[in-house]
Structures are given as structure tokens and as C-alpha cells.
Amino acid sequence: GAVGLRIRVYDRVMCFINCHFAAHLEAVNRRNADFDHVYRTMTFSRPTNLFNAATAGASSGASSAAQVLRSTNTGVAYSADGMPELSEADMVIFLGDFNYRLDGISYDEARDFVSQRCFDWLRERDQLRAEMEAGNVFQGMREAVIKFPPTYKFERHQVGLAGYDSGEKKRIPAWCDRILYRDSRSNSISECSLKCPVVSSILQYEGCMDVTDSDHKPVRCIFTVDIARVDESVRRQGLGEILGSNNKVKCMLENLGKIPETIISTNNIILQNQDTSILRITNKCGEKDALFEIVCEGQSTVNNDGLTSDHCPRGSFGFPRWLEVTPATGIIKPHHIAEVSVHHEDFQTLEEFVDGVPQNWWCEDARDKEVILLVKVSGRYTTESRNHQVRVRHCFSSRKRQNDREPESRQLQGTVLRRSDFQRLSSSHDVVDHLKDMVDNLKSMHSP
């Protein structure tokens, strides 16, 4: 089995896999199969492209990683593009007790070569080296030159090379404990670059022969790793220089950055109990979509003299309870119209007066209210918006409803579209003609 650790350094992914493969001299194929299983089924808690934390642990063959695609027949864990997760890493380091032994050599011969430090000849007998050269295991991975004695098997608590197994079995010394790695290089002479972002070199590869608490000797490897990364500030500066010097690109970006021209059907709306008014937003641009968002900028109280006071910004609180705006966001195609319903929610009977102020069943001030709606219009590729302001006044009292019909309130009526004024409009030209007719009618109403 195996346990893996994945870290991100300068946006490059490195994986460290600690393994223990099958034991015994003759189990070469089982060891190869162990590596293949670990490499294909190692899964991490999050996919690589969403990996924002510093580290994430994993276990080989874990079934809890819901983000990877797992074959129900083979147990293979694949990333979104159908490859094992370890294949996506920029650098992978395998370490542990791989259990590969020495072939074609006796215990006494191996001891003699170790005592003479003739490691070159012993490496020729190494099972792992032979299997890697045949392409059967650790494909594409490297190992530093071994210059330390075999790390297995020792009698515990015995110092020096005299501690090799001298019991009845006399297991042949072997380099069971290894560290192998792969970086971004396709060959050993590649230099670090954005195309080859992680390039490593070995400073030290050694066995810790002084450790006596185990029948194995630990192995230590020190890497130097060069990592190529993008300096985003330099990149943005370079991109700005390119775009600024290219007139065609500059013109295209300026055109994309323009906000589509839009008009709204009214700037003032008066609602009574459970009234609904339709606000029309027309995209007059013939080429670009217009994106709109309607927010409530604030709410004021309407005094007896018709003027507003006590303005309260709404901020992130949205629309007041008595007002429903649907839809509050949308996309308008070129030369199309969006119809937005501005509806007064069901108003309950006044229950009581508190300190002389009428209260409704929400325990809210039940005096007439006015809100300011901002219709924010932007393009698909713009960061700025153009705002239209709409005043929506809600009249609670019957006295106010009567006053709304009196001549002195006609200053509000000039741009109010009531439901009786609405009709289905097939295009933006119909809207413009319709508004012109209304303006002419209003002029005739105010003429002496």
C-alpha cells in the first residue's frame, strides 16, 4: 500500500508517495503490480485544479474522493481528463520499502562485495534496476547513483556492516529502501522554463547506517528544485504594452467595453395595495447583449406634505418586504425588451398606533413609503455600468389614494405607466413610438 502527500509550491504540484511493496526474493511481478496499483489509484481529497490549500493527505485506493472519476470495474482513479491523478503532478517522489532484492548472488558473495564497497557490481544484480530498464515499473522515473551499502537486512541494535542478518535464513543484503523521482523534464538536459517548470537535481543520496532500531537502514535524499513561475505583475504590464501598441486590438477592446444604450419606460411608479406595474427596459443596441441588475438604493418616508424624509440606505438588505421586483437580473438581446414586474405585496390591515405612528402586522412604520431603485446596465465584457433611477412610491392611506388623483400630484404622473397603459410591443421601435404618443398626450393635457 501507500500514503501520499500533495503540496503546491509557486502554483506547481508536488506529490510524495510513501510505499511498502510485496516482500520475498521471487515476488518481482507482485512488486511491479503494487506500483502500478498505487500509481493508478492514488486519490487526493480535492482535484488538482481546485487545490488551494497548502497540503492534502490521501491514501491509495481511497473511495471517499468524490471529485475523481472511478471505474467501477478496475478501481482506477482518474482526473477529469481521464488520466491518473499522479500524472498531473509536476514532480512525483516515490520513497519507501520497495523490497526489490539482488538476483544471482549468494549471501556470502554479497557480504564480500559490501565489505569491499564494490557497489557497481552489486547494482548489476539489482532487481529494481533491471525492471526499470525493461519498462516494467516506475516508468519515466529516475534514481540517483547508489553509493551506500544495501539497507536490508540487519540485526537490530547492532552497529556497522557486521550487523547484516546472520541468522538461520541469512537473507541476502539488498537495497530494499529507495527514493525515486520524476520532474517536468523529458530528458536530463532540459532547463527550467515555463514549458518545463520543475527541474530537480540531487545533492545527496545516502543510507543512514547509524540507525539501529530497525532491520532496515533509512535512506535520505536531498533535492535542489528549480521552479518556473509567472510574475503576474510583469505579465499584466507586458499584456498592457502589447494591447496599447496594437491599434486593431485596442479598437476591438474599446468596442467591447462600451455599455449598450438602453431606455426605461418610466422613472416614477405609484403602487397601492397589491398593485402591479410593469417596468420595461429596452436594449437599443443592435449588436450587443445588455445585462441588467435592479437593486434598492434606499427607502424614505413620505410626509403629509408629499415630501420625503428619513432616507435609509438599504445596502445588502435588498428590497423592502412590501415590494417585489421580478426578475431583478437578466440579459436583454439586441433590439429586445425586458419586462420587469414591480409588485406591491399583500398589505394587512393596520393593527394599532405606537407613539402616534401607525404600525402594520410586520411592526413596521405604516406611513407612505418611497424607494429608489437603481437599474444597473452593463455589457458582457464591461466592468462599469450605466444606472437608471426609478422612484417607487407606495401609498398606504385612503387619503393618499384620493390625493393621487388630484391635479397637484400630476408632476409624478408625467412619467408613470399604469397597467391600463400597457400593451404588447413587438420591437424597440414600437416602444419609442408608444412613448412619443404618450408624451404628446401629456403635452396636450398641460396646454392652456
Side-chain angles (χ1 to χ4, degrees), residues 41-47 57-70 75 77 85:
T41 64
M42 176 63 67
T43 61
F44 294 89
S45 60
R46 280 175 283 188
S59 61
S60 176
S63 60
S64 61
Q67 295 89 346
V68 297
L69 305 176
R70 181 179 296 280
E85 286 197 61

Side-chain angles (χ1 to χ4, degrees), residues 100-317:
Y100 287 91
R101 310 300 175 89
L102 300 182
D103 272 332
I105 190 171
S106 67
Y107 173 82
D108 292 331
E109 288 175 326
R111 289 291 303 270
D112 288 342
F113 281 113
V114 170
S115 63
Q116 298 172 42
R117 302 189 69 85
C118 295
F119 300 142
D120 290 343
W121 193 90
L122 286 177
R123 283 198 299 269
E124 295 294 329
R125 303 291 181 175
D126 178 37
Q127 290 178 344
L128 179 55
R129 177 176 176 174
E131 293 300 306
M132 290 179 66
E133 289 179 351
N136 296 329
V137 71
F138 290 106
Q139 294 86 350
M141 304 194 76
R142 303 182 182 91
E143 183 181 23
V145 177
I146 296 177
K147 297 181 179 180
F148 50 87
T151 59
Y152 175 83
K153 174 183 181 178
F154 286 85
E155 298 289 343
R156 287 183 173 87
H157 308 299
Q158 289 195 25
V159 180
L161 299 181
Y164 279 112
D165 183 17
S166 58
E168 181 182 350
K169 293 185 178 180
K170 287 189 175 181
R171 293 179 179 85
I172 300 170
W175 286 291
C176 292
D177 310 282
R178 314 286 278 269
I179 300 176
L180 281 74
Y181 70 100
R182 166 188 68 75
D183 53 20
S184 301
R185 291 178 293 180
S186 57
N187 57 69
S188 59
I189 60 174
S190 299
E191 294 183 354
C192 185
S193 65
L194 291 178
K195 292 184 178 180
C196 183
V198 178
V199 174
S200 58
S201 58
I202 306 296
L203 292 182
Q204 188 174 345
Y205 189 35
E206 62 179 359
C208 303
M209 307 308 290
D210 294 335
V211 177
T212 61
D213 294 329
S214 171
D215 57 349
H216 291 255
K217 299 297 183 184
V219 174
R220 174 171 57 198
C221 188
I222 300 176
F223 290 86
T224 294
V225 182
D226 292 330
I227 300 177
R229 68 185 183 99
V230 175
D231 188 324
E232 291 296 338
S233 61
V234 176
R235 186 183 215 174
R236 287 192 294 269
Q237 181 180 353
L239 178 61
E241 292 173 355
I242 293 173
L243 298 180
S245 62
N246 190 315
N247 292 330
K248 184 177 180 180
V249 173
K250 187 191 300 184
C251 181
M252 181 184 69
L253 291 176
E254 289 177 353
N255 187 48
L256 289 175
K258 292 180 179 178
I259 301 173
E261 183 182 356
T262 55
I263 59 172
I264 58 174
S265 55
T266 182
N267 297 107
N268 293 284
I269 296 175
I270 296 178
L271 297 176
Q272 298 175 4
N273 195 23
Q274 293 183 286
D275 268 355
T276 299
S277 182
I278 301 298
L279 174 68
R280 291 186 174 91
I281 309 170
T282 303
N283 181 5
K284 296 185 66 178
C285 178
E287 299 177 353
K288 301 175 185 176
D289 293 344
L291 284 65
F292 73 89
E293 176 188 14
I294 303 177
V295 298
C296 183
E297 186 180 54
Q299 177 175 267
S300 303
T301 299
V302 181
N303 300 323
N304 292 333
D305 57 6
L307 300 178
T308 59
S309 62
D310 301 330
H311 177 78
C312 297
R314 295 291 298 180
S316 60
F317 291 103

Side-chain angles (χ1 to χ4, degrees), residues 13-17 39 86-87 89-94 141 180-183:
V13 176
M14 299 182 181
C15 295
F16 300 84
I17 315 299
Y39 190 84
L86 286 178
S87 68
D90 297 288
M91 184 172 184
V92 178
I93 297 177
F94 271 80
M141 304 194 76
L180 281 74
Y181 70 100
R182 166 188 68 75
D183 53 20

Side-chain angles (χ1 to χ4, degrees), residues 19-52:
C19 304
H20 186 198
F21 293 164
H24 304 302
L25 176 67
E26 67 281 359
V28 177
N29 291 334
R30 284 188 58 196
R31 288 188 276 274
N32 294 349
D34 286 344
F35 165 77
D36 184 65
H37 174 75
V38 168
Y39 190 84
R40 290 185 299 112
T41 64
M42 176 63 67
T43 61
F44 294 89
S45 60
R46 280 175 283 188
T48 304
N49 58 351
L50 298 179
F51 185 63
N52 296 319

